[in-house]
Amino acid sequence: DPFPALENNAQETNNLEKVREEFARIMTLLHDGQVDPVEQSPAAFNAQFWKVQKELLAQSREKGVKVPDNNFAFGFQRHIGGFLPPHPAVPRLTQQLTIVQELCKVFYEAKITQLKDIQREEFEGGEEAAAPPASLSRAPTAAPTAAPTAVSEAGIIPEGTLYGKMHFIFSFTAKESALRDAMNRLTKHTMMIIITRLELLGSETVGPRTTAAEGEAAALEQIEAGWR
């Protein structure tokens, strides 16, 4: 008989249904913590940016984390001056803003001493836009100053792949215990976060450190935040 038995058909149908259920369960788990682009108007994004900026400033004061000043833009310098982004860029900008907000909360909860600078991949302003965080220099610095070139594909999910990538650089000072706590929190976060480079600069300029508790580390943190 060239045809499968009815019993085998029933068994395979049952197996297929179990595979589909398991696949759906795995996809649900993979989407946990995912930050999606959000469709809204440029004006609505600017309003959201100012709301998040004020919230992050208030949270920094609450957690005792120093920031440069009350005009600290958290990586969105163009928008602190009222720049209105082009409409096609708004979904990914909203996505970036949410990711930065979540990352700041991680560092606040870890009780870093000071958040000095944040860099993100800028894609919303054309060729003159500042850059994605370029490769970190071998000599650590307190805060990155170079303006990188625009990366139009930031956050785009390439055809045939499961996720896109956005890069961020965080420059901050922290005690060693807070730095370790921040790294642990990042690796356990529900977002898919990969720490691609970490540079440390001790507070002393000459001579060895005497105890682990005395020094503070200035960390230049490049984070690759991906999502499914």
Side-chain angles (χ1 to χ4, degrees):
D1 188 346
F3 299 102
L6 292 178
E7 293 81 1
N8 288 342
N9 270 340
Q11 183 62 47
E12 291 304 314
T13 300
N14 184 54
N15 290 342
L16 179 59
E17 185 60 30
K18 289 182 178 179
V19 169
R20 287 173 173 164
E21 290 175 358
E22 183 64 14
F23 179 78
R25 187 186 71 83
I26 292 174
M27 292 302 294
T28 299
L29 291 174
L30 289 175
H31 279 79
D32 185 31
Q34 174 171 296
V35 179
D36 293 314
V38 177
E39 274 290 349
Q40 59 180 338
S41 70
F45 168 77
N46 276 7
Q48 181 181 351
F49 162 71
W50 282 108
K51 179 176 181 290
V52 169
Q53 192 255 4
K54 288 179 172 57
E55 288 176 354
L56 290 176
L57 288 176
Q59 291 166 9
S60 72
R61 291 189 292 268
E62 179 184 338
K63 297 295 184 179
V65 177
K66 297 178 183 177
V67 296
D69 53 48
N70 287 334
N71 289 321
F72 187 49
F74 297 91
F76 292 82
Q77 285 79 2
R78 297 168 64 84
H79 304 277
I80 203 82
F83 171 75
L84 199 64
H87 191 275
V90 169
R92 283 187 292 156
L93 274 172
T94 308
Q95 190 177 35
Q96 275 189 330
L97 182 62
T98 303
I99 293 172
V100 167
Q101 185 178 23
E102 289 299 315
L103 293 175
C104 285
K105 289 178 182 178
V106 169
F107 289 109
Y108 288 173
E109 291 296 330
K111 300 189 184 303
I112 64 172
T113 305
Q114 181 178 4
L115 178 58
K116 291 186 172 183
D117 188 43
I118 299 175
Q119 289 189 44
R120 64 181 177 89
E121 291 173 316
E122 294 189 11
F123 52 83
E124 68 272 22
E127 294 181 357
E128 76 279 6
S135 300
L136 303 182
S137 61
R138 289 295 176 185
T141 56
T145 57
T149 56
V151 172
S152 59
E153 70 273 13
I156 298 295
I157 301 178
E159 186 176 355
T161 63
L162 296 177
Y163 62 90
K165 293 181 286 186
M166 285 182 175
H167 298 260
F168 302 88
I169 292 176
F170 280 69
S171 178
F172 60 93
T173 60
K175 294 181 179 179
E176 290 187 0
S177 57
L179 177 61
R180 287 194 298 269
D181 188 21
M183 298 301 100
N184 288 332
R185 288 174 182 271
L186 289 171
T187 56
K188 293 188 296 184
H189 202 281
T190 53
M191 291 191 300
M192 185 194 300
I193 300 174
I194 300 173
I195 302 170
T196 57
R197 190 179 180 98
L198 178 66
E199 291 186 1
L200 301 176
L201 179 65
S203 57
E204 296 84 3
T205 56
V206 179
R209 298 173 64 170
T210 53
T211 67
E214 286 180 0
E216 285 195 349
L220 194 60
E221 176 72 30
Q222 180 167 316
I223 299 170
E224 182 176 300
W227 55 98
R228 280 80 54 197

